[in-house]
Coordinates of all heavy atoms in Angstrom, one line a residue:
E183 N 142.7 103.9 128.0 CA 143.9 103.8 127.2 C 144.2 102.5 126.5 O 144.6 102.5 125.4 CB 145.0 104.0 128.3 CG 146.5 104.0 127.6 CD 147.6 104.0 128.8 OE1 147.5 105.0 129.6 OE2 148.4 103.0 128.8
A184 N 143.8 101.4 127.1 CA 143.9 100.1 126.5 C 142.9 100.0 125.3 O 143.3 99.4 124.2 CB 143.6 99.0 127.5
Y185 N 141.7 100.6 125.4 CA 140.8 100.5 124.3 C 141.3 101.3 123.1 O 141.3 100.9 122.0 CB 139.5 101.1 124.7 CG 138.5 101.3 123.6 CD1 137.8 100.1 123.1 CD2 138.2 102.6 123.0 CE1 136.8 100.3 122.0 CE2 137.3 102.6 122.0 CZ 136.6 101.5 121.4 OH 135.8 101.7 120.4
K186 N 141.8 102.6 123.4 CA 142.4 103.4 122.4 C 143.6 102.7 121.6 O 143.6 102.7 120.5 CB 142.9 104.7 123.0 CG 143.4 105.7 121.9 CD 144.0 106.9 122.5 CE 144.6 107.8 121.5 NZ 145.4 107.3 120.5
E187 N 144.4 102.0 122.4 CA 145.6 101.4 121.8 C 145.1 100.1 121.0 O 145.6 99.9 119.9 CB 146.5 100.9 123.0 CG 147.7 100.2 122.5 CD 148.7 101.1 121.8 OE1 148.7 102.4 122.2 OE2 149.4 100.8 120.9
A188 N 144.1 99.4 121.5 CA 143.6 98.3 120.7 C 143.0 98.7 119.4 O 143.2 98.1 118.3 CB 142.6 97.5 121.5
K189 N 142.2 99.8 119.5 CA 141.6 100.3 118.3 C 142.6 100.9 117.2 O 142.5 100.6 116.1 CB 140.6 101.5 118.7 CG 139.7 101.9 117.6 CD 138.5 102.7 118.2 CE 137.7 103.3 117.0 NZ 136.3 103.5 117.4
D190 N 143.6 101.6 117.7 CA 144.7 102.1 116.9 C 145.5 101.0 116.3 O 145.7 101.0 115.1 CB 145.6 102.9 117.8 CG 145.1 104.3 118.1 OD1 144.0 104.7 117.7 OD2 145.7 105.0 119.0
E191 N 145.8 99.9 117.0 CA 146.5 98.8 116.5 C 145.6 98.1 115.3 O 146.2 97.8 114.3 CB 146.8 97.7 117.5 CG 148.0 98.1 118.3 CD 148.3 97.1 119.4 OE1 147.8 95.9 119.3 OE2 149.0 97.4 120.4
S192 N 144.4 98.0 115.7 CA 143.5 97.4 114.6 C 143.4 98.1 113.3 O 143.4 97.7 112.2 CB 142.0 97.2 115.3 OG 141.2 96.7 114.2
R193 N 143.3 99.5 113.5 CA 143.2 100.4 112.4 C 144.5 100.3 111.6 O 144.5 100.5 110.4 CB 142.9 101.8 112.8 CG 141.5 101.9 113.2 CD 141.1 103.3 113.6 NE 139.7 103.5 113.7 CZ 139.0 104.6 114.1 NH1 139.8 105.7 114.4 NH2 137.8 104.8 114.2
F194 N 145.7 100.2 112.3 CA 147.0 100.2 111.5 C 147.0 98.9 110.7 O 147.4 98.9 109.6 CB 148.0 100.2 112.6 CG 149.4 100.1 112.0 CD1 150.0 101.2 111.3 CD2 150.2 98.9 112.1 CE1 151.2 101.1 110.8 CE2 151.4 98.7 111.4 CZ 151.9 99.9 110.8
E195 N 146.6 97.8 111.3 CA 146.6 96.5 110.6 C 145.6 96.2 109.5 O 145.8 95.7 108.6 CB 146.6 95.4 111.7 CG 147.8 95.3 112.5 CD 147.7 94.2 113.6 OE1 146.8 93.2 113.5 OE2 148.5 94.2 114.6
N196 N 144.3 96.8 109.8 CA 143.2 96.6 109.0 C 142.7 97.7 108.2 O 141.7 97.6 107.5 CB 142.0 96.0 109.8 CG 142.5 94.7 110.6 OD1 142.9 93.7 110.0 ND2 142.5 94.8 111.8
G197 N 143.2 98.9 108.4 CA 142.7 100.1 107.8 C 141.6 100.8 108.6 O 141.1 100.3 109.6
H198 N 141.2 102.0 108.1 CA 140.2 102.8 108.9 C 138.8 102.6 108.3 O 137.9 103.3 108.6 CB 140.6 104.2 108.7 CG 141.8 104.6 109.5 ND1 141.7 105.1 110.7 CD2 143.1 104.5 109.2 CE1 143.0 105.4 111.2 NE2 143.8 105.1 110.2
D199 N 138.6 101.4 107.6 CA 137.3 101.1 107.1 C 136.4 100.9 108.2 O 136.5 100.1 109.1 CB 137.4 99.8 106.2 CG 136.1 99.4 105.6 OD1 135.1 100.3 105.7 OD2 136.0 98.5 104.9
S200 N 135.1 101.6 108.2 CA 134.2 101.4 109.2 C 133.4 100.2 109.1 O 132.5 99.9 110.1 CB 133.2 102.6 109.2 OG 132.6 102.8 108.0
Y201 N 133.7 99.3 108.2 CA 133.1 98.0 108.0 C 134.2 96.9 108.0 O 134.1 96.0 107.4 CB 132.3 97.9 106.7 CG 131.1 98.8 106.8 CD1 131.1 100.0 106.3 CD2 129.9 98.4 107.4 CE1 130.0 100.9 106.4 CE2 128.8 99.1 107.6 CZ 128.9 100.4 107.0 OH 127.8 101.2 107.2
A202 N 135.3 97.1 108.8 CA 136.4 96.2 108.9 C 136.0 94.9 109.8 O 136.7 93.9 109.6 CB 137.6 96.9 109.5
G203 N 135.1 94.9 110.5 CA 134.7 93.8 111.4 C 135.7 93.5 112.5 O 135.8 92.4 113.1
T204 N 136.4 94.5 112.9 CA 137.2 94.5 114.1 C 137.0 95.6 115.1 O 136.1 96.3 114.9 CB 138.7 94.8 113.6 OG1 138.8 96.2 113.2 CG2 139.0 93.8 112.5
I205 N 137.7 95.6 116.2 CA 137.5 96.6 117.2 C 137.8 98.0 116.7 O 137.2 99.0 117.2 CB 138.4 96.3 118.5 CG1 138.0 97.2 119.8 CG2 139.8 96.5 118.1 CD1 138.7 96.8 121.0
G206 N 138.5 98.1 115.7 CA 138.8 99.4 115.0 C 137.6 100.1 114.5 O 137.4 101.3 114.3
A207 N 136.5 99.2 114.2 CA 135.3 99.7 113.8 C 134.1 99.9 114.8 O 133.1 100.3 114.6 CB 134.6 98.7 112.7
S208 N 134.6 99.6 116.0 CA 133.7 99.7 117.2 C 133.5 101.2 117.6 O 134.2 102.1 117.3 CB 134.1 98.9 118.4 OG 135.3 99.5 118.9
H209 N 132.4 101.4 118.4 CA 132.1 102.8 118.7 C 132.0 102.9 120.3 O 131.0 102.9 120.9 CB 130.6 103.2 118.3 CG 130.6 103.0 116.8 ND1 131.1 104.0 115.9 CD2 130.1 102.1 116.0 CE1 130.9 103.7 114.6 NE2 130.2 102.4 114.6
G210 N 133.3 103.0 120.8 CA 133.3 103.1 122.4 C 133.3 101.8 123.1 O 133.1 100.7 122.4
F211 N 133.2 101.9 124.4 CA 133.1 100.6 125.1 C 132.3 100.8 126.4 O 132.2 102.0 126.9 CB 134.5 100.1 125.5 CG 135.3 100.9 126.5 CD1 135.1 100.8 127.8 CD2 136.1 101.9 126.0 CE1 135.8 101.5 128.8 CE2 136.7 102.7 126.9 CZ 136.6 102.6 128.3
T212 N 131.8 99.8 126.9 CA 131.1 99.8 128.3 C 131.8 98.9 129.2 O 132.0 97.7 128.9 CB 129.6 99.3 128.0 OG1 129.0 100.2 127.1 CG2 128.8 99.4 129.4
D213 N 132.1 99.4 130.4 CA 132.9 98.6 131.4 C 131.9 97.7 132.1 O 131.0 98.1 132.7 CB 133.6 99.5 132.4 CG 134.4 98.8 133.4 OD1 134.3 97.6 133.5 OD2 135.1 99.5 134.1
V214 N 132.0 96.4 131.8 CA 131.1 95.3 132.5 C 132.0 94.5 133.5 O 131.5 93.4 133.7 CB 130.4 94.5 131.5 CG1 129.5 95.4 130.6 CG2 131.5 93.8 130.5
T215 N 133.1 95.0 134.1 CA 133.9 94.3 135.0 C 133.2 93.8 136.1 O 133.3 92.6 136.6 CB 135.1 95.1 135.4 OG1 135.7 95.6 134.3 CG2 136.0 94.4 136.4
A216 N 132.2 94.6 136.7 CA 131.5 94.1 137.8 C 130.7 92.9 137.6 O 130.5 92.0 138.5 CB 130.5 95.3 138.3
A217 N 130.1 92.7 136.5 CA 129.3 91.6 136.1 C 130.2 90.3 136.0 O 129.5 89.2 136.1 CB 128.6 91.8 134.9

């Protein structure tokens, strides 16, 4: 939920460009909390 919200906020502020250089242009996430 947090990832989706961060991505949505980034896209709202920076547009939907797949080369925006923000989390909005990322492709999913990997949970590395244990490390």
